[in-house]
Amino acid sequence: MSTTTRTRAATDQEPEITEELIAAHGLSAQEYAEILRLLNRAPTFTELGIFSAMWNEHCSYKSSKKWLRTLPTEGPQVICGPGENAGVVDIGDGQAVVFKMESHNHPSYIEPYQGAATGVGGILRDVFTMGARPIAAMNSLSFGSPDHPRTSRLVHGVVEGIGGYGNCFGVPTVGGELRFHAAYNGNCLVNAFAAGLADADAIFYSAASGVGMPVVYLGAKTGRDGVGGATMASAEFDDTIEEKRPTVQVGDPFTEKRLMEACLELMATGAVISIQDMGAAGLTCSAVEMGDKGGLGIRLDLEHVPVREEGMSAYEMMLSESQERMLMVLRPEKEAEARAVFEKWDLDFAIVGETIAEDRFLIMQNGRVKADLPLRALSGSAPEYDRPWISPPPPAPLGPVDRVDPIEGLKALISSPNYASRQWVYQQYDSQVMADTVRPPGLGAGIVRVHGTRKALAFTSDVTPRYVAADPREGGKQAVAEAFRNLSAVGARPLATTDNLNFGNPEKPEIMGQFVKAIEGIGEACRALDMPIVSGNVSLYNETDGQAILPTPTIGAVGLIADLDQAIIGQASPGDVLLLLGGPGTHLGQSALLAEIRGREEGPPPPVDLAAERRHGEFIRAHHALIAACTDISDGGLALAAFEMAEAAGTGIAIDATDTAALFGEDQARYLIACNFDAAEALMVAAGKAGVPLETVGRFVGNDVILGGASAPLPELRHIYRTSLAASIT
Amino acid sequence: MRAGVIEFPGSNCDRDLAVAFAAAGARVTRVWHKETGLPKGLDVIGIPGGFSFGDYLRCGAIAARSPVMRAVVDFAGAGGHVLGICNGFQVLTETGLLPGALMRNAGLKFLCRSERLRVATTDSAFTRLYAPGEEITVPIAHHDGNYTADPGTLARLQDEDRIAFTYADNPNGSLADIAGVLSANRRVLGMMPHPERCSDPRLGGEDGLRLFRAVAGILESA
């Protein structure tokens, strides 16, 4: 092996590359052999760190890439699909919505407040890096059993961290999910979504262009925080978890807010050629990405990087995950203008390198070469695995189900932290900053007006992990279908999707099988419902001591309401009729009722008929003017959906059905509609013509909830519904 | 009417406040915190909500010492109208333009939700369009809205009819349910709830818009 003089010079202060060191970097023996082949020499310590950062699961998608390629990512509405910081979708009038969802699971489990906070910070950066001002945030949270000793601290910390960051930054949080299940005892999930608004002709991308252009570092200073974070996020947990705390970064939303304002101001000057935020693996990933996409090399001189602490090595600087930092390639003639913008906002601005013509990632520190790597190979040669997988066994049929008293069933659901009101969480998030929130979180999809227009965007986040565990393919379809319904129920036309795929260890064939089948289902549903996937994130190795989470492919979706007059955002009124669209409930397999009241997670999940989903969603949108209030039916079936409508409206409800499956079945493609009698007649006629099953199932009346003869006063149920979440996690 | 909206780094309701002033008919100018003087001809200054300077030392403390606030204090001293909302209220107590202080919510959590307020006085340019004792619904969104003052200050506020709004269901532990207070000359109002968030029927109400209309109307006719 040839080792050049300069390489030896660079390594003399760095640790020797040993088998232990290679393993500690999460690189397999084959991966290290590939590095030796690419370089034709041994890597320096800094180079080993760079490879580890680029080739870990979190950054390289090496286990998932093969399957992600099968997802639909195109459509006339798509301006930019996966591969950039976030997806870009046309919303008409020269405007675009830019969005993505990303996980921060591992850091949040180790240090809940900062882990969740920096998750929000990272996704907001992804959005404003593209030139979009963030206008909405959501988060999908999965925690262990409420009585697990760690759960309460995690919930409080994560919720406060999300609020602490998003509230200060100034983006309204308008939706999300919260679930509890023992399968998350050892690994919580924190999936953060953000969407921004941009002019369609002013989107910024990461590809550098032009040789000799200055590479500029912006934002907060670099510290030692987060060194190796991306590698940590690509490993299973065991009992050494407490030792991993130093790999979690610390968030500074105030700096991020200034960074956003400065970036948007700078973009408006025309100075920015390309821009990339420093997220996982910080300086390394961002620089390689800009060079790789632009077909250029990058040279960095690390002594110019603004640092928070003395004596940082090249290795630490290249792998730091300090937050609130950006890398840009700027037009040299605009440097003074750019510098002035950043000085206005009191942010660091430093030229740290330049673009070069050769295919080279050259890292210098005080005139010494610390890394000299072929840039294209760093990302292009990242390993890709076709991991073995086995088809999940079909679920056993559901055994006999005895009748459940309807009120007893409803009380079991609304007293469960899984289905009680989420108000305790949502009121910790500012849902109204920017003064365009039309519909706050907690009532299905959140809605934000497009500032200064009559348009609005609707946001939802959905997945039912029980279903995915029982039948990954149907469960994957169902997650997309539920997102489609939540958007349709507020009168929005579903536009596109972002997916955040959380699974266990992909090296286990049964886990890989869940992943493969869930992707199949998601892809099929996205195609059928015309909701292409424009961005996403994969989080694997969500396992502790060999126990995997429930497969949780979170679907974040965005819909467009062309005019706020078409939004369905009203409440039911006393006297209104309750209509059920989509047929009676029949399916209790994997139902929330059986899981909560009997502890039975059994049987197949409800099958998803995508053609019916599409037909029924279109029917709702077409008849928005006749509908006072609408909700989709999902977990908890007709009974829970009807109760939530009545509770929100503050009126009693009477439903005739008595059969357990009719009340609590979770058959798909169904909605509940509240409207007056005349509108109900008109809807029945329209449904008849359209061939859509629509029937009257109840009436909003009185002050009691009446389900098939059993009843309870609304105030009593409301008290249970509104207090059970806080009570179960304090 | 001409309204000036101050912008600190970390302000995040500045646009919202400007939109509400504009909806009430004002011409709005934004004023950057590093300015040492105010634009000529302003009739009212708005200090917006948000997290000025990250609220890192104490809410509003650093903003209160920024160059533009010296000019705002002079403006108020000369009889100018000043409206501070949420973080803006905190800034006004930190500058001493309003008495008292805002501590962490009694429940220790950030709270964002609609609250019923009672209009405690209609004797100000801001509250004159409400009926005495009227109940209005205005959103709150804060972590540090727990108003406190020493007994003498509270007695003075009560004696001088300077409590502008009180909470119907005190959400944060505020002394005497206080949600907003006026200065001695009744021309500086600080309040934790966000009237700018309920100044548009599309966003759940117009109870807040009357406050902006009230101040715009009185200054227009002045």
Side-chain angles (χ1 to χ4, degrees):
Chain A
M1 182 150 314
S2 72
T3 304
T4 62
T5 314
R6 70 170 169 68
T7 310
R8 222 176 290 123
T11 48
D12 56 10
Q13 295 165 335
E14 296 187 331
E16 201 184 326
I17 310 296
T18 61
E19 270 177 40
E20 291 75 38
L21 195 67
I22 294 163
H25 280 76
L27 292 163
S28 69
Q30 300 96 297
E31 286 167 355
Y32 185 69
E34 177 62 13
I35 292 173
L36 293 180
R37 195 191 64 76
L38 281 169
L39 297 185
N40 200 25
R41 62 174 167 83
T44 67
F45 179 57
T46 302
E47 288 172 339
L48 186 72
I50 290 173
F51 272 108
S52 140
M54 290 303 299
W55 286 10
N56 66 60
E57 188 67 56
H58 186 82
C59 294
S60 73
Y61 295 90
K62 58 191 171 191
S63 301
S64 57
K65 239 188 289 186
K66 170 185 162 83
W67 302 102
L68 296 178
R69 277 196 282 266
T70 66
L71 289 168
T73 59
E74 291 174 355
Q77 70 273 45
V78 178
I79 295 174
C80 173
E84 285 289 337
N85 284 293
V88 185
V89 176
D90 192 351
I91 58 167
D93 310 307
Q95 292 179 302
V97 61
V98 176
F99 64 94
K100 188 182 180 184
M101 188 178 256
E102 196 162 84
S103 63
H104 232 214
N105 304 336
H106 292 74
S108 299
Y109 193 76
I110 295 172
E111 167 47 53
Y113 185 98
Q114 293 298 345
T118 53
V120 174
I123 198 67
L124 289 168
R125 253 184 337 274
D126 279 333
V127 166
F128 69 76
T129 300
M130 308 276 308
R133 179 176 288 274
I135 59 164
M138 296 192 287
N139 51 81
S140 174
L141 311 178
S142 306
F143 295 102
S145 173
D147 51 19
H148 186 273
R150 211 170 171 116
T151 299
S152 175
R153 191 177 74 83
L154 286 173
V155 175
H156 282 265
V158 164
V159 170
E160 279 174 30
I162 289 169
Y165 206 101
N167 298 349
C168 179
F169 179 86
V171 62
T173 298
V174 300
E177 297 176 275
L178 171 65
R179 71 179 59 85
F180 297 88
H181 191 286
Y184 304 99
N185 281 350
N187 296 79
C188 66
L189 302 184
V190 175
N191 294 177
F193 168 100
L197 187 66
D199 288 338
D201 61 358
I203 305 291
F204 287 79
Y205 298 100
S206 54
S209 69
V211 171
M213 296 294 167
V215 174
V216 175
Y217 172 113
L218 308 164
K221 293 186 199 309
T222 295
R224 290 193 170 94
D225 45 336
V227 171
T231 307
M232 176 268 290
S234 305
E236 282 185 47
F237 284 157
D238 51 30
D239 50 14
T240 65
I241 181 173
E242 294 301 330
E243 296 166 17
K244 298 197 162 88
R245 200 183 302 274
T247 56
V248 178
Q249 322 86 325
V250 177
D252 177 358
F254 171 58
T255 296
E256 176 117 324
K257 162 78 171 163
R258 290 181 294 144
L259 185 62
M260 176 207 36
E261 296 292 352
C263 283
L264 295 181
E265 227 174 285
L266 190 59
M267 287 164 170
T269 67
V272 178
I273 295 173
S274 80
I275 176 167
Q276 178 72 28
D277 86 297
M278 292 192 230
L283 204 45
T284 295
C285 259
S286 56
V288 169
E289 185 99 9
M290 292 205 306
D292 183 43
K293 290 219 172 97
L296 292 165
I298 301 269
R299 172 199 162 112
L300 297 177
D301 294 289
L302 295 183
E303 65 275 17
H304 299 309
V305 171
V307 288
R308 204 189 295 149
E309 13 196 337
E310 291 294 308
M312 286 184 68
S313 67
Y315 176 92
E316 290 168 326
M317 286 163 85
M318 293 309 292
L319 267 63
S320 163
E321 293 191 3
S322 290
Q323 298 288 292
E324 294 91 25
R325 302 180 300 158
M326 287 277 183
L327 209 58
M328 290 188 185
V329 177
L330 289 186
R331 292 186 202 290
E333 69 275 16
K334 297 265 190 183
E335 188 196 320
E337 217 172 324
R339 195 180 284 275
V341 169
F342 274 77
E343 281 169 1
K344 172 186 167 187
W345 291 97
D346 296 318
L347 289 163
D348 273 305
F349 175 100
I351 296 176
V352 297
E354 61 172 356
T355 57
I356 53 181
E358 309 127 88
D359 172 23
R360 204 169 171 195
F361 191 42
L362 181 59
I363 307 302
M364 308 285 292
Q365 191 177 31
N366 299 314
R368 297 172 74 173
V369 175
K370 288 298 189 178
D372 187 355
L373 299 168
L375 188 143
R376 216 80 61 242
L378 263 178
S379 59
S381 302
E384 185 178 328
Y385 297 127
D386 183 0
R387 298 212 185 264
W389 58 277
I390 50 172
S391 240
L398 178 65
V401 176
D402 47 341
R403 185 178 178 277
V404 175
D405 173 77
I407 292 294
E408 190 198 330
L410 180 62
K411 283 183 177 173
L413 290 174
I414 63 177
S415 62
S416 156
N418 276 316
Y419 306 107
S421 164
R422 269 76 191 99
Q423 201 55 39
W424 179 85
V425 172
Y426 287 133
Q427 71 184 13
Q428 295 186 54
Y429 306 145
D430 192 335
S431 55
Q432 294 169 316
V433 62
M434 301 184 87
D436 279 311
T437 302
V438 174
R439 195 172 197 248
L443 303 162
I447 303 177
V448 170
R449 180 173 57 187
V450 176
H451 191 70
T453 74
R454 296 181 59 82
K455 287 187 294 195
L457 293 166
F459 302 95
T460 187
S461 157
D462 299 285
V463 63
T464 312
R466 286 190 317 278
Y467 295 176
V468 189
D471 183 339
R473 188 185 162 90
E474 260 340 90
K477 280 163 67 177
Q478 193 275 339
V480 179
E482 188 172 340
F484 175 88
R485 289 200 301 272
N486 275 321
L487 296 175
S488 299
V490 297
R493 183 167 61 83
L495 279 183
T497 303
T498 181
D499 59 347
N500 199 150
L501 309 170
N502 309 274
F503 288 80
N505 182 347
E507 294 160 40
K508 297 180 180 168
E510 62 276 16
I511 298 283
M512 202 57 210
Q514 290 178 338
F515 185 80
V516 169
K517 289 290 162 186
I519 293 235
E520 268 180 33
I522 291 168
E524 185 187 341
C526 286
R527 268 183 284 270
L529 300 173
D530 194 15
M531 296 168 71
I533 292 188
V534 295
S535 57
N537 169 245
V538 178
S539 173
L540 302 174
Y541 298 97
N542 291 289
E543 294 203 7
T544 294
D545 296 330
Q547 286 295 354
I549 58 161
L550 294 180
T552 311
T554 312
I555 296 295
V558 179
L560 176 67
I561 299 169
D563 188 307
L564 269 174
D565 284 343
Q566 296 165 12
I568 305 169
I569 50 178
Q571 299 285 8
S573 306
D576 275 357
V577 177
L578 181 69
L579 300 176
L580 168 62
L581 186 151
T586 60
H587 191 100
L588 284 170
Q590 296 300 335
S591 63
L593 179 78
L594 292 184
E596 294 291 340
I597 206 168
R598 300 275 186 264
R600 292 174 63 184
E601 292 177 31
E602 290 174 24
V608 180
D609 176 346
L610 293 167
E613 290 285 2
R614 186 162 185 144
R615 215 161 45 238
H616 299 173
E618 283 168 358
F619 181 84
I620 296 280
R621 283 195 295 283
H623 298 93
H624 64 87
L626 295 169
I627 299 171
C630 181
T631 183
D632 91 306
I633 294 181
S634 52
D635 281 304
L638 164 64
L640 184 60
F643 166 77
E644 287 175 352
M645 278 181 119
E647 200 274 341
T651 162
I653 189 164
I655 291 172
D656 302 330
T658 57
D659 176 56
T660 300
L663 285 168
F664 295 100
E666 297 178 7
D667 306 63
Q668 298 291 297
R670 300 193 304 153
Y671 298 82
L672 283 180
I673 293 168
C675 61
N676 64 35
F677 187 79
D678 291 344
E681 285 213 311
L683 282 170
M684 296 298 266
V685 172
K689 279 188 195 153
V692 169
L694 184 69
E695 60 187 309
T696 305
V697 290
R699 189 132 192 225
F700 292 92
V701 61
N703 207 25
D704 290 327
V705 173
I706 304 169
L707 298 176
S711 81
L714 180 65
E716 180 200 336
L717 297 175
R718 165 175 280 174
H719 179 76
I720 296 171
Y721 180 63
R722 294 205 177 175
T723 55
S724 291
L725 176 58
S728 59
I729 46 143
T730 43
Chain B
M1 182 187 70
R2 279 193 65 189
V5 173
I6 309 289
E7 292 178 334
F8 300 107
S11 294
N12 62 29
C13 303
D14 42 335
R15 185 186 77 182
D16 314 357
L17 184 54
V19 167
F21 270 127
R27 279 175 296 143
V28 184
T29 309
R30 310 279 192 105
V31 186
W32 185 237
H33 70 111
K34 289 178 183 169
E35 299 291 332
T36 51
L38 295 170
K40 294 257 179 294
L42 293 184
D43 298 303
V44 60
I45 304 279
I47 306 181
F51 291 69
S52 58
F53 295 91
D55 277 352
Y56 281 159
L57 177 58
R58 208 168 51 238
C59 298
I62 303 175
R65 284 146 187 87
S66 64
V68 76
M69 283 312 293
R70 267 174 246 136
V72 172
V73 169
D74 292 344
F75 178 84
H81 286 80
V82 180
L83 170 64
I85 297 170
C86 200
N87 193 230
F89 185 14
Q90 295 161 343
V91 172
L92 290 175
T93 60
E94 285 285 342
T95 58
L97 281 174
L98 290 173
L102 293 141
M103 303 189 303
R104 184 123 298 196
N105 293 345
L108 304 181
K109 301 273 190 198
F110 187 97
L111 282 180
C112 174
R113 64 188 190 209
S114 281
E115 286 292 335
R116 291 181 299 129
L117 303 183
R118 197 178 67 85
V119 180
T121 181
T122 55
D123 181 13
S124 80
F126 302 100
T127 56
R128 65 189 181 91
L129 293 185
Y130 298 112
E134 183 179 348
E135 194 173 275
I136 58 176
T137 301
V138 183
I140 60 165
H142 58 245
H143 211 157
D144 299 82
N146 182 354
Y147 185 79
T148 189
D150 61 77
T153 301
L154 176 63
R156 203 159 56 246
L157 289 174
Q158 287 167 333
D159 291 349
E160 297 173 3
D161 188 29
R162 285 165 55 192
I163 299 171
F165 300 102
T166 54
Y167 297 108
D169 311 293
N170 191 337
N172 53 27
S174 285
L175 178 72
D177 304 326
I178 289 173
V181 297
L182 292 160
S183 59
N185 72 358
R186 318 192 74 76
R187 292 182 170 201
V188 179
L189 169 65
M191 62 191 294
M192 288 312 295
H194 286 272
E196 80 280 17
R197 295 186 182 186
C198 53
S199 293
D200 183 333
R202 288 283 189 194
L203 309 178
E206 289 185 292
D207 278 352
L209 186 58
R210 274 188 287 163
L211 184 150
F212 296 99
R213 283 201 177 126
V215 71
I218 209 162
L219 294 174
E220 210 62 70
S221 53

